[in-house]
Amino acid sequence: MISGHWEEPQFTVQKNPAPPLLFDYNGFPPHTYELTWPSPGDPALSDRVQALVEAAGFPCPVDEARGYDHGVFIPLKVAFPQADIPCVQLSLRSDLDPAAHIAVGRALVPLRDEGVLIIGSGNTYHNMQKMMRAMRGGATNAVNGQEFDRWLSDAATRPDPAERDQMLAKWDAAPGARDANPREEHLIPLHVVAGAALADKGVKTLEDHVLGAVESAFTFG
């Protein structure tokens, strides 16, 4: 799992056999701080991820204390409520370099043949200031991201993986890019997954509208 809520100076892999939940949010109802999702870690998989990332030329330390942030446990609690699958988290690199994240995704390709699901967790639209204004009753027509979503949907579903990767590497030159993502930590997990896709064509599997903003999800393979 690659989440928009974990950044480190170097790509870092979680190696905790029993990760706790990190309630790294605030201002929500009390019951949201009582959620559980006791899925185990997988130290052997952590070692495998570290070896693959380092073989690609990236330093990759381990973090033996790291828990699951909400970018991990919220979607996985919905997808796998029984918490009966092991999970390992790989951090973003804090420079958020898109080409490096595509490359680290490519390093993870062998995992696909080893029964490992690679998931990127984030948002394609993450202008929280505009969304908070809309939540407080402001004009939602100022929050949309449709222009960027059209561009991103075209990029992620390109049949030529070289074109897809070139477009994603220069995502911030796209129409409406910085309005949709003033800071790109929620978008960059997509780059890791796209890198791991190799020649698999992306498919847009979700388009949702939240507080006037459009957000999309993509699947490869």
Side-chain angles (χ1 to χ4, degrees), residues 29-194:
H31 75 271
T32 65
Y33 301 91
E34 299 171 1
L35 296 173
T36 60
W37 193 70
S39 185
D42 186 338
L45 178 58
S46 299
D47 289 341
R48 178 69 170 136
V49 170
Q50 181 186 36
L52 290 171
V53 173
E54 290 185 340
F58 298 104
C60 186
V62 300
D63 186 328
E64 296 182 348
R66 175 80 185 182
Y68 296 135
D69 62 58
H70 78 273
V72 175
F73 74 80
I74 293 295
L76 292 188
K77 185 174 178 66
V78 175
F80 303 100
Q82 299 303 315
D84 55 356
I85 59 165
C87 181
V88 168
Q89 189 173 357
L90 178 68
S91 80
L92 300 176
R93 199 174 71 179
S94 55
D95 64 359
L96 302 178
D97 178 72
H101 287 80
I102 293 170
V104 86
R106 199 168 295 122
L108 301 177
V109 166
L111 297 178
R112 298 179 59 189
D113 293 327
E114 298 168 14
V116 177
L117 178 64
I118 302 171
I119 303 175
S121 172
N123 291 93
T124 56
Y125 183 98
H126 201 251
N127 189 328
M128 294 305 294
Q129 288 188 337
K130 283 191 172 183
M131 295 186 79
M132 291 302 293
R133 284 200 299 271
M135 188 180 297
R136 297 186 185 106
T140 58
N141 61 5
V143 184
N144 54 64
Q146 291 181 0
E147 193 174 25
F148 180 66
D149 188 77
R150 283 192 293 268
W151 178 92
L152 186 64
S153 298
D154 176 44
T157 60
R158 286 269 165 156
D160 183 341
E163 286 185 6
R164 175 190 70 214
D165 292 351
Q166 288 170 4
M167 291 177 73
L168 289 177
K170 298 181 179 179
W171 73 272
D172 59 347
R178 283 295 177 187
D179 180 67
N181 292 279
R183 190 173 185 274
E184 59 267 40
E185 79 285 349
H186 275 68
L187 180 68
I188 290 294
L190 173 63
H191 291 64
V192 180
V193 174

